[in-house]
Amino acid sequence: MILVLRALGVGDLVTAVPALRALRAAYPARELALAAPAWLAPLVDLVGGVDRLVDTTGLDRPLRIGSPPRVAVNLHGRGPQSHRLLTATRPARLIAFANLDAGWADGPAWDGDEHEVDRWCRLLSWYDIPADRADLSLRRPGSAGLPGLPSGVTLLHPGSKIPAKRWPAERFAALARALTDQGHRVLLTGSADERALAARVADAAGLTPDAVLAGRTDLGALAALVADARLVVSGDTGVAHLATGYGTPSVVLFGPVPPAHWGPPPDRPRHRVLWAGEADWPSWDGVGSHPTMAALRLDEVLAAVAEVLRVVRVSGAVAA
């Protein structure tokens, strides 16, 4: 068995896709087990190549996998806690970044200033496992069990687990109004915890309650919505990575974390990033949106939307 630890969220899983596929190719005859939260199962199925999901919601409980793995791979972090969790499974081989606190001197040094996709590809390359950082595509969800989902809609995702990463709700509402006036069918996505936020945006935008899908879709349905959407606008959160995985036109609003760490590949023009983090911002009181998010103007977002849709029109005309 090849055991891979990535006990995190949607964006974390999607940015690990090239590494997971590289491991599948390197060990085609071995069972590939992924230690990650069980609620990610629908998305794990869309990654492909994973044989078993080991429900893991943190690093404080032993991994229940049965016999020791042939190889354990730490795609979770730099250690030491994640290293120790894997070494406790008694693997024949460990693939991980060097961490002397965990008693692990092998592996490359951790670089805190690199893109998340590149980080795990570099780790595997150190151990002579080639990985293609561009291999980010996801399988399209099947239609079974997902009846009635709309296609060709514009999805706005105003929430984030980290409040600092949220673009102000009133600007999302203004964006929704502007896009509706341009002929977009706007729907609002989010988790159950973000339903109130999405409802507030919808109300301010003059949208009907049925435009609020936050808390009403599971992960599989959300992936299907993104896969068939006209456009996605969000902050730096999981739905942005789904848009990258499906090649769905997107505008991603970044702050305070720079897009160089988590953004879509810069060579894909149907994904646009807005980022105001280079300025010397005053101190932040920790309440509401971070100044780097508040600095992003509505007209900038609308211009980015127009640009990605122009790219889609032009590329479609060339393909035709």
Side-chain angles (χ1 to χ4, degrees):
M1 180 209 322
I2 311 302
L3 175 64
V4 182
L5 177 64
R6 188 70 169 165
L8 297 163
V10 171
D12 307 281
L13 176 59
V14 178
T15 52
V17 165
L20 288 168
R21 292 196 176 136
L23 290 166
R24 176 75 287 165
Y27 300 99
R30 298 274 183 180
E31 179 189 36
L32 182 61
L34 175 63
W39 62 269
L40 285 173
L43 186 54
V44 172
D45 291 341
L46 301 176
V47 171
V50 176
D51 300 304
R52 175 159 56 116
L53 182 60
V54 180
D55 186 13
T56 309
T57 55
L59 303 180
D60 56 345
R61 295 182 180 180
L63 297 174
R64 301 184 181 278
I65 59 169
S67 59
R70 175 70 182 82
V71 181
V73 185
N74 190 349
L75 298 185
H76 187 91
R78 72 179 77 187
Q81 192 175 3
S82 52
H83 285 34
R84 291 169 181 156
L85 184 65
L86 286 173
T87 56
T89 66
R90 296 180 289 116
R93 184 187 188 197
L94 176 65
I95 292 177
F97 281 101
N99 188 294
L100 297 181
D101 290 339
W104 185 248
D106 192 21
W110 180 271
D111 181 357
D113 192 27
E114 70 180 325
H115 196 282
E116 188 73 2
V117 173
D118 295 327
R119 170 173 292 125
W120 307 115
C121 292
R122 180 171 66 88
L123 171 65
L124 296 186
S125 176
W126 177 276
Y127 291 94
D128 298 320
I129 299 174
D132 178 5
R133 67 105 53 222
D135 188 11
L136 292 164
S137 62
L138 297 169
R139 294 177 176 176
R140 296 185 68 83
S143 58
L146 301 172
L149 285 178
S151 62
V153 299
T154 290
L155 302 177
L156 305 188
H157 193 95
S160 170
K161 289 186 296 186
I162 302 173
K165 290 185 175 185
R166 295 176 180 174
W167 198 41
E170 63 273 14
R171 290 189 211 171
F172 261 115
L175 176 65
R177 286 195 301 273
L179 293 178
T180 299
D181 289 344
Q182 293 176 15
H184 292 249
R185 181 185 175 191
V186 174
L187 300 178
L188 295 157
T189 56
S191 67
D193 291 341
E194 294 163 349
R195 183 165 176 78
L197 169 63
R200 189 165 72 251
V201 171
D203 183 64
L207 300 177
T208 57
D210 61 359
V212 179
L213 299 184
R216 294 167 50 195
T217 57
D218 62 14
L219 187 52
L222 178 61
L225 281 167
V226 172
D228 290 329
R230 177 183 182 183
L231 172 72
V232 172
V233 181
S234 75
D236 170 23
T237 189
V239 73
H241 296 285
L242 291 177
T244 299
Y246 288 117
T248 300
S250 64
V251 175
V252 190
L253 314 180
F254 267 85
V257 178
H261 292 176
W262 285 91
D267 59 347
R268 300 187 185 188
R270 62 174 51 209
H271 307 298
R272 284 291 307 274
V273 165
L274 294 179
W275 158 246
E278 297 89 348
D280 184 17
W281 298 104
S283 59
W284 177 50
D285 61 8
V287 177
S289 301
H290 190 273
T292 54
M293 293 297 286
L296 299 175
R297 305 188 312 272
L298 174 62
D299 64 313
E300 292 179 286
V301 178
L302 286 169
V305 166
E307 176 59 22
V308 296
L309 295 180
R310 185 195 68 80
V311 168
V312 172
R313 286 194 302 272
V314 170
S315 61
V318 170

